[in-house]
Amino acid sequence: SQELEQSPQSLIVQEGKNLTINCTSSKTLYGLYWYKQKYGEGLIFLMMLQKGGEEKSHEKITAKLDEKKQQSSLHITASQPSHAGIYLCGAEGGGSNYKLTFGKGTLLTVNP
Amino acid sequence: KAGVTQTPRYLIKTRGQQVTLSCSPISGHRSVSWYQQTPGQGLQFLFEYFSETQRNKGNFPGRFSGRQFSNSRSEMNVSTLELGDSALYLCASSLFAGGGNEQFFGPGTRLTVL
């Protein structure tokens, strides 16, 4: 079964700093999703990546899927307190198995 | 367009009872997936429904079941509740079943089993 490892598990940054969260898969990634979650609440969809080398940006958040499609990174530029939360990567299993498998999440704290 | 809604938001039950959770997908979305989130196991897939048919199922005991109605609304049921069933239950909707579909999540139902 596919496993996703996120690093770091937690991150504390000063407002205005850049940061990167990584998601590494044990298998080829067919569809990679990034979500943000406030503790105990639902997941907010950020981005979906499918093609090797694909890069998407939304506001100050950029996500990339590497060429070999086994790793994705999420980069936040000039972090703000509103970026704080838990970032989760989720991956489709490929073929007819398109349920999402999730990493354990990265807890981001942004200090003002 | 309204997002995914889940009811109830919070629920407290005792061991041995059963519970039914409801999910209304985004208008026009026909696929609904259910997930369980706990501190220890993280987010785990329960099942997916499309056009009233279960398309995928995760590794959960038969006490966990679900269904989808013709209007795409979905319910999940947990019978004979155990303490370990305490979790945040999330549903997600997408336009179609299959890969490459953006999945949008609801706010979740927080179930506490005493």
Side-chain angles (χ1 to χ4, degrees):
Chain A
S1 62
Q2 185 169 36
E3 292 185 0
L4 296 178
E5 184 174 333
Q6 286 188 236
S7 62
Q9 291 184 348
S10 63
L11 194 53
I12 302 174
V13 300
Q14 204 65 31
E15 182 177 359
K17 295 295 185 183
N18 302 337
L19 63 105
T20 299
I21 298 169
N22 293 304
C23 176
T24 303
S25 173
S26 59
K27 297 183 178 181
T28 299
L29 293 165
Y30 291 96
L32 189 286
Y33 298 71
W34 283 101
Y35 291 90
K36 178 186 172 185
Q37 184 180 32
K38 292 286 191 182
Y39 182 76
E41 299 180 7
L43 278 63
I44 300 168
F45 174 80
L46 295 174
M47 275 169 275
M48 179 182 72
L49 304 166
Q50 287 187 287
K51 300 175 183 176
E54 186 174 12
E55 179 176 321
K56 288 187 178 179
S57 295
H58 178 67
E59 297 180 343
K60 295 184 179 181
I61 302 176
T62 300
K64 300 178 186 179
L65 182 59
D66 77 353
E67 290 288 344
K68 295 183 179 179
K69 295 176 67 176
Q70 285 203 261
Q71 186 174 52
S72 178
S73 60
L74 186 82
H75 184 78
I76 299 177
T77 304
S79 59
Q80 302 169 350
S82 60
H83 288 127
I86 301 168
Y87 288 82
L88 291 148
C89 64
E92 295 172 2
S96 61
N97 181 14
Y98 35 79
K99 67 177 187 181
L100 291 181
T101 300
F102 284 90
K104 296 291 188 186
T106 295
L107 175 61
L108 173 63
T109 303
V110 181
N111 290 326
Chain B
K1 202 183 257 190
V4 179
T5 58
Q6 292 185 246
T7 57
R9 292 293 311 278
Y10 303 91
L11 208 47
I12 300 175
K13 292 285 187 179
T14 56
R15 279 181 298 175
Q17 287 187 309
Q18 76 165 22
V19 67
T20 299
L21 311 182
S22 180
C23 173
S24 293
I26 292 171
S27 178
H29 284 196
R30 295 171 60 192
S31 176
V32 173
S33 298
W34 288 90
Y35 294 82
Q36 181 197 64
Q37 187 176 34
T38 59
Q41 298 299 318
L43 262 170
Q44 292 186 293
F45 173 80
L46 280 158
F47 27 67
E48 179 192 19
Y49 286 88
F50 179 76
S51 292
E52 302 177 65
T53 302
Q54 187 179 89
R55 295 299 181 102
N56 268 300
K57 190 176 190 301
N59 296 323
F60 279 82
R63 299 185 297 107
F64 291 81
S65 63
R67 58 178 176 169
Q68 187 180 34
F69 301 95
S70 58
N71 62 358
S72 296
R73 190 177 70 85
S74 177
E75 290 181 346
M76 68 163 280
N77 184 278
V78 188
S79 62
T80 320
L81 284 166
E82 300 177 0
L83 295 178
D85 297 334
S86 294
L88 181 66
Y89 289 89
L90 294 159
C91 81
S93 79
S94 58
L95 271 172
F96 306 107
N101 279 288
E102 297 173 357
Q103 291 195 30
F104 296 91
F105 282 76
T109 293
R110 170 74 63 187
L111 172 64
T112 302
V113 182
L114 303 176

